[in-house]
Amino acid sequence: MKKRLSEKQIKTLLQKYRFRNSENGLHRMPLERGDMILSRIRSGQYRNMDFLPYEEFKDRLGATASTPKKSFEYDVVAAITLFSRAAIDGGVLPEESFDLSDVLLQEVEKTSTVEELFEIYQTAAVLFSKLVADTRRDRTGYQIEQCRAYVQKNLFRPITVGEVAAAQGLTPNYLSALFRKSEGIGLHTYIEQEKVRAAQDLLAHSTEPISVIALSLGFKTQAHFSEVFRRHTDLTPSAYRNLHFRTVAATIE
């Protein structure tokens, strides 16, 4: 059984390593560049990856093994691990990130040259970043659908943007911006539109008083209901009923 290295032995090896790097004129990769790649992975900016040219890149790597290929292999394995964690920070499910990491590490094992490893390193950064972008896109669609479903379920009572946001675990400002970006209108406007559509159906197909319809849809007063209805249809509720209820009645007859 091999004896465990002591702290003193490690320190001696560390001094030798530093001396060797000094002799070889090693200039490591700037931390800012590594941070930039991780930041772009977290934010899903896969189209904006910026890598050093291969010749410049390989001259900035420390010697972590007996051969350049094995040394770079360790570095790529470490990079993939960091990329995977950055993707999780960006919102990717851990299982999805780890699956991609496993596949890429299997490809690392198949490589025979440093150039192939460098290609996997670049590909990994782009793929993890794209995974974040796809996850955010899918999540946005899901969140918007959940908003729509919540509004429909609670249409016949007062609804606020803050209430819908709380149901999604989001802030009102964030959800409003998300909804507007996806649908082209504000969430508050969407809520009003859906209530007006329901009111149109009730006005055309029932004889319920307008005041009752207004209250059933969560409006505090008939005046407020009429104001919102007119803003979205250019008609008052009574004018809309006069135009459309007769048509429906005539069809039934």
Side-chain angles (χ1 to χ4, degrees):
M1 182 176 175
K2 188 175 180 180
K3 186 178 178 181
R4 188 176 66 178
L5 286 172
S6 67
E7 181 180 353
K8 183 177 180 181
Q9 288 174 309
I10 291 292
K11 288 182 176 179
T12 299
L13 292 171
L14 183 59
Q15 291 298 329
K16 290 181 179 179
Y17 179 75
R18 287 171 174 165
F19 176 76
R20 189 162 59 249
N21 284 342
S22 176
E23 287 283 293
N24 295 333
L26 174 66
H27 298 284
R28 292 189 183 276
M29 182 88 67
L31 287 175
E32 294 79 9
R33 180 166 286 273
D35 289 343
M36 177 269 290
I37 291 175
L38 293 176
S39 176
R40 291 183 179 176
I41 289 174
R42 290 188 193 98
S43 57
Q45 299 181 59
Y46 63 93
R47 292 188 177 90
N48 297 323
M49 284 297 171
D50 182 23
F51 301 103
L52 288 174
Y54 169 69
E55 290 301 323
E56 185 177 350
F57 182 87
K58 71 181 180 66
D59 291 337
R60 293 176 179 268
L61 299 173
T64 55
S66 57
T67 67
K69 196 270 179 182
K70 179 57 70 174
S71 181
F72 192 26
E73 184 176 320
Y74 289 157
D75 290 325
V76 173
V77 169
I80 290 173
T81 301
L82 290 174
F83 294 168
S84 175
R85 295 292 178 175
I88 293 171
D89 289 343
V92 174
L93 291 174
E95 294 81 4
E96 293 184 7
S97 188
F98 293 152
D99 285 348
L100 177 56
S101 176
D102 289 346
V103 169
L104 289 167
L105 291 174
Q106 290 169 14
E107 291 304 305
V108 166
E109 190 177 13
K110 298 175 186 176
T111 59
S112 56
T113 67
V114 176
E115 289 81 2
E116 290 174 343
L117 285 168
F118 184 66
E119 184 177 339
I120 290 178
Y121 167 80
Q122 292 180 304
T123 300
V126 172
L127 288 180
F128 277 111
S129 182
K130 193 171 188 302
L131 189 59
V132 171
D134 291 344
T135 297
R136 290 187 174 185
R137 192 179 303 115
D138 292 344
R139 180 179 297 165
T140 296
Y142 174 76
Q143 289 171 328
I144 296 301
E145 286 305 311
Q146 290 295 100
C147 285
R148 288 177 174 275
Y150 187 92
V151 170
Q152 294 302 322
K153 183 179 179 181
N154 297 279
L155 202 57
F156 290 91
R157 68 173 187 80
I159 312 173
T160 65
V161 172
E163 175 189 340
V164 180
Q168 295 289 317
L170 304 172
T171 65
N173 287 341
Y174 177 79
L175 179 58
S176 294
L178 195 69
F179 197 90
R180 183 178 293 280
K181 183 177 180 181
S182 174
E183 305 301 299
I185 60 171
L187 179 54
H188 178 75
T189 300
Y190 173 76
I191 293 171
E192 285 189 345
Q193 285 183 352
E194 292 306 297
K195 285 182 176 290
V196 167
R197 286 195 182 99
Q200 288 174 311
D201 188 59
L202 290 170
L203 289 167
H205 295 84
S206 79
T207 57
E208 289 287 352
I210 292 174
S211 59
V212 173
I213 292 175
L215 290 175
S216 71
L217 286 165
F219 292 94
K220 291 183 178 180
T221 65
Q222 183 176 334
H224 182 219
F225 167 64
S226 296
E227 177 190 340
V228 172
F229 192 92
R230 187 165 189 169
R231 183 162 62 243
H232 289 278
T233 66
D234 292 326
L235 293 170
T236 64
S238 58
Y240 183 90
R241 170 168 273 174
N242 289 336
L243 283 172
H244 296 278
F245 184 75
R246 292 173 185 164
T247 302
V248 173
T251 302
I252 294 174
E253 291 178 357

